[in-house]
């Protein structure tokens, strides 16, 4: 009889394991809720600073670094932090990430100089980079396989809930107090999660020895930062940004060189040899640029019209509700329509909603409908891009694929926010809403690009070379088995049947012979004795 899981794990009752399972789900969902609430707070803070004396003298390209300063370390340090979690213990790395995140949040709320605020945001990003893979690693490593799918769905959908809560409550905070208090709820939730870590299992450690590629991670972070800086300063610095582009290529080239020679690289080059992963990464990058670009444009558009922050939050709440509901439904439909079907549908909804807003002179019932449609589009894109990136990898590369997909979303988000800010400050369209209309047009361009990627994969779906190596031997083995079965059947039909003889009673002193086995389908292939 098999031993129960509790007995194997050394637990006599199911109570502790059930308690650990509940805490794992709550802490994991809390991590994603906090990270997304922090991102939403940043976009609201940019809007408030844009239209208040505190930041009215600063160009929007400098204000949006409040977002980019956190995105860049998250994108660059995810892979390294995930490896540290495997080596040193996932609960320990999660606790360290929460401490760093909380300290960065306290500094964001308290420090005065803008450069210190951006440094505090970068510290928060580094903490979030440790929190995300460690929380997911605890879920995958500690829960039984039958419970992982539901736990991951809760873990990923909590980000939409974090956006919804911050947009609903953040508007009140920004309207009644200083913009810095938008980051106070993240600090409080981070402290609660840090206390809850004591109730979590420590998590398994990997047996492999070695140190992750820290140098490659910092080179990658510097390269991404220089790219975002070049985009945000393109109009102000002119041709000088060419040197920034050259520096960015050199830094990313250094990160790739490190990845080729390091045992635990910051960039998993094996993933990039799979065409399906490259397509999924590109679609995820477009999703990041589109979603975070829209998240930045929406409050700026409403604040530009003179709406108070409380009414802005009311206009943004339906979008978040649509994201949460659609993400849940899309997660159940992904097996039917496929990930690229969801990506194409989400891109079509987001692009169509942006075009609908461009045709309106101000907030109308059609604008409200468009905001709901945007939420539906983002809700379809989120699970579609996650599945397209993750399932393109081999099973032993799932963790790396999750990190690379999150990196793609954050890099796309940083680039999208930078592009939107440049277009708003330097519009290429005319009219009273020239900058905001141009930003919406760029969001339409991002949606068209992601939709084109999805449509290309749907219409020209080709098997991955790695899959061919698996399918070809399997097909050959199936054909060989069928051939052998056919030969065995023909041999049974052609060979004469053996004469049956009456059974003889063996003497008592003789050793009994073993009973002959029943002839199977391959019995005719054996030799016969005449």
């Amino acid at each position: 009889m098999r031993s129960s899981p509790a007995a194997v794990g050394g637990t006599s009752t199911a109570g502790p394991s059930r308690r650990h399972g509940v805490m794992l789900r709550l802490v994991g969902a809390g991590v994603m809720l906090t990270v997304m609430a922090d991102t939403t707070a940043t976009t609201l803070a940019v809007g408030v600073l844009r239209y208040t004396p505190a930041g009215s003298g600063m160009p929007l390209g400098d204000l949006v670094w409040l977002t980019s300063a956190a995105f860049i370390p998250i994108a660059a340090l995810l892979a390294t932090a995930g490896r540290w979690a495997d080596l040193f213990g996932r609960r320990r790395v999660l606790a360290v990430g929460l401490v760093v995140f909380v300290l960065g949040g306290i500094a964001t709320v308290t420090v005065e100089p803008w450069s210190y605020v951006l440094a505090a945001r970068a510290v928060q990003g580094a903490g979030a980079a440790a929190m995300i893979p460690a929380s997911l690693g605890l879920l995958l490593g500690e829960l039984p396989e039958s419970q992982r799918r539901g736990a991951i769905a809760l873990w990923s959908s909590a980000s939409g809930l974090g956006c919804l809560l911050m947009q609903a409550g953040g508007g009140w905070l920004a309207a009644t107090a200083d913009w810095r208090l938008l980051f106070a709820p993240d600090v409080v939730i981070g402290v609660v999660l840090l206390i809850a870590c004591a109730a979590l299992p420590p998590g398994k450690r990997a047996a492999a020895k070695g140190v992750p590629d820290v140098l490659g991670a910092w080179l990658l972070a510097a390269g991404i930062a220089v790219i975002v800086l070049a985009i945000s300063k393109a109009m102000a610095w002119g041709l000088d940004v060419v040197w920034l582009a050259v520096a960015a290529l050199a830094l990313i080239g250094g990160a790739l060189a490190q990845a080729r020679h390091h045992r635990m690289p910051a960039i998993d080059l094996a993933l990039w040899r799979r065409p399906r992963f490259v397509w999924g990464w590109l679609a995820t990058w477009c999703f990041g640029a589109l979603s975070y670009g829209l998240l930045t444009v929406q409050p700026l558009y409403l604040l530009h019209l003179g709406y108070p922050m409380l009414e802005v939050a009311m206009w943004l709440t339906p979008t978040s509700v649509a994201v949460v509901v659609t993400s849940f439904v899309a997660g159940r439909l992904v097996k039917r329509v496929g990930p690229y079907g969801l990506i194409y549908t989400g891109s079509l909804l987001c692009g169509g909603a942006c075009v609908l807003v461009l045709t309106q002179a101000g907030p109308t019932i059609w604008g409200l409908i468009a905001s709901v449609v945007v939420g539906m589009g983002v809700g379809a894109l989120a699970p579609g891009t996650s599945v397209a990136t993750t399932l393109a990898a081999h099973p032993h590369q799932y963790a790396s694929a999750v990190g690379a997909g999150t990196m793609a979303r954050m890099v796309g988000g940083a680039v999208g926010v930078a592009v939107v800010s440049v277009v708003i400050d330097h519009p290429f369209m005319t009219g009273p809403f020239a900058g905001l209309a141009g930003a919406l047009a760029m969001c339409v361009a991002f949606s068209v690009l992601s939709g084109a990627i999805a449509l290309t994969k749907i219409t020209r779906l080709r098997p991955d070379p790695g899959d061919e190596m698996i399918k070809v031997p399997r097909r050959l083995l199936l054909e060989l088995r069928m051939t052998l079965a056919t030969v065995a059947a023909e041999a049974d039909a052609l060979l004469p049947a053996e004469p049956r003889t009456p059974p003889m009673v063996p003497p008592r002193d003789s050793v009994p012979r073993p009973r002959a086995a029943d002839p199977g389908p391959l019995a005719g292939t054996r030799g016969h004795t005449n």
Side-chain angles (χ1 to χ4, degrees):
M1 185 177 68
R2 293 184 180 182
S3 301
S4 64
V8 174
T11 305
S12 58
T13 63
S17 62
R18 187 181 297 111
R19 178 173 58 87
H20 284 160
V22 172
M23 291 302 300
L24 283 168
R25 290 174 174 84
L26 290 177
V27 173
V31 166
M32 292 306 295
L33 184 148
T34 305
V35 172
M36 193 61 199
D38 178 75
T39 302
T40 307
T42 305
T43 58
L44 293 176
V46 169
V48 172
L49 287 171
R50 174 74 170 178
Y51 294 100
T52 57
S56 58
M58 298 176 62
L60 185 60
D62 292 342
L63 290 177
V64 296
W65 273 93
L66 200 64
T67 302
S68 301
F71 281 5
I72 291 168
I74 292 176
L77 299 178
L78 270 172
T80 302
R83 188 57 184 168
W84 279 341
D86 291 336
L87 289 175
F88 306 127
R90 291 157 184 167
R91 185 181 64 178
R92 181 178 301 174
V93 172
L94 175 60
V96 171
L98 284 167
V99 170
V100 173
F101 184 84
V102 168
L103 292 177
I106 294 173
T108 303
V109 174
T110 57
V111 298
E112 289 295 333
W114 184 248
S115 58
Y116 291 179
V117 172
L118 296 184
R121 292 293 298 149
V123 170
Q124 278 194 288
M131 292 157 53
I132 294 172
S135 62
L136 181 60
L138 278 172
L139 284 175
L140 295 177
E142 300 300 324
L143 291 179
E145 186 176 357
S146 60
Q147 301 178 13
R148 289 174 185 170
R149 182 174 298 179
I152 293 174
L154 176 64
W155 180 82
S156 59
S157 62
S159 59
L161 182 60
C163 181
L164 173 62
L165 294 177
M166 179 53 66
Q167 285 182 343
W172 178 80
L173 284 174
T176 58
D178 189 65
W179 64 271
R180 296 173 185 271
L181 289 183
L182 287 168
F183 300 95
D186 300 333
V187 175
V188 176
I189 298 175
V191 172
V192 173
L193 292 176
L194 185 59
I195 296 173
C197 280
L200 298 180
K204 301 175 182 178
R205 297 189 186 185
K209 302 295 182 180
V211 179
D213 184 10
V214 180
L215 176 59
W218 286 114
L219 288 173
L220 180 62
I224 297 171
V226 172
I227 290 175
V228 176
L229 180 63
I231 294 173
S232 61
K233 296 295 183 180
M235 302 301 297
W237 293 357
L239 293 178
D240 290 340
V241 298
V242 175
W243 298 107
L244 290 177
V246 173
L249 291 176
L251 290 169
I252 295 177
L256 292 174
Q258 280 286 110
R260 293 187 61 184
H261 302 289
H262 204 280
R263 290 180 58 189
M264 303 176 187
I267 304 173
D268 191 352
L269 296 180
L271 283 173
W272 289 90
R273 298 187 184 100
R274 297 180 62 82
R276 289 175 57 193
F277 172 80
V278 176
W279 283 97
W281 194 95
L282 291 174
T284 306
W285 184 94
C286 292
F287 167 55
L290 172 62
S291 59
Y292 289 113
L294 287 171
L295 201 60
T296 303
V297 172
Q298 281 183 307
L300 289 175
Y301 174 70
L302 295 169
L303 289 169
H304 180 76
L305 293 173
Y307 281 81
M309 198 63 202
L310 283 176
E311 294 187 19
V312 170
M314 292 176 62
W315 275 90
L316 296 178
T317 300
T319 304
S320 300
V321 173
V323 170
V324 174
V325 175
T326 309
S327 297
F328 177 77
V329 176
R332 294 177 174 270
L333 293 178
V334 68
K335 290 184 177 181
R336 292 187 178 182
V337 301
Y340 288 99
L342 287 179
I343 294 172
Y344 181 75
T345 303
S347 302
L348 189 63
L349 291 174
C350 288
C354 291
V355 172
L356 180 59
V357 173
L358 286 172
T359 61
Q360 305 298 309
T364 62
I365 186 63
W366 291 107
L368 182 60
I369 293 173
S371 66
V372 174
V373 174
V374 164
M376 295 172 61
V378 173
L381 282 165
T385 52
S386 297
V387 173
T389 306
T390 305
L391 296 188
H394 290 302
H396 68 278
Q397 296 174 314
Y398 281 164
S400 299
V402 169
T406 308
M407 181 191 76
R409 185 180 301 185
M410 292 300 176
V411 173
V415 173
V417 170
V419 169
V420 163
S421 66
V422 171
V423 172
I424 292 176
D425 275 344
H426 303 86
F428 60 87
M429 301 178 70
T430 59
F433 303 99
L436 293 168
L440 284 173
M442 294 305 302
C443 292
V444 173
F446 288 134
S447 64
V448 169
L449 182 58
S450 60
I453 292 173
L455 189 61
T456 302
K457 284 296 295 179
I458 292 172
T459 56
R460 299 179 59 187
L461 189 61
R462 296 180 179 179
D464 196 46
D467 294 338
E468 284 295 314
M469 295 178 63
I470 299 173
K471 292 178 181 178
V472 170
R474 183 174 183 273
R475 186 170 62 247
L476 292 177
L477 289 174
L478 289 174
E479 293 178 355
L480 180 60
R481 187 179 70 177
M482 292 177 64
T483 303
L484 290 176
T486 303
V487 171
E490 293 178 353
D492 284 335
L494 293 176
L495 292 175
E498 295 182 355
R500 293 184 179 182
T501 56
M504 298 178 62
V505 179
R508 293 182 179 180
D509 57 348
S510 64
V511 179
R513 296 182 180 180
R515 183 179 179 183
D518 295 333
L522 298 179
T525 58
R526 298 181 181 179
H528 290 263
T529 304
N530 294 329

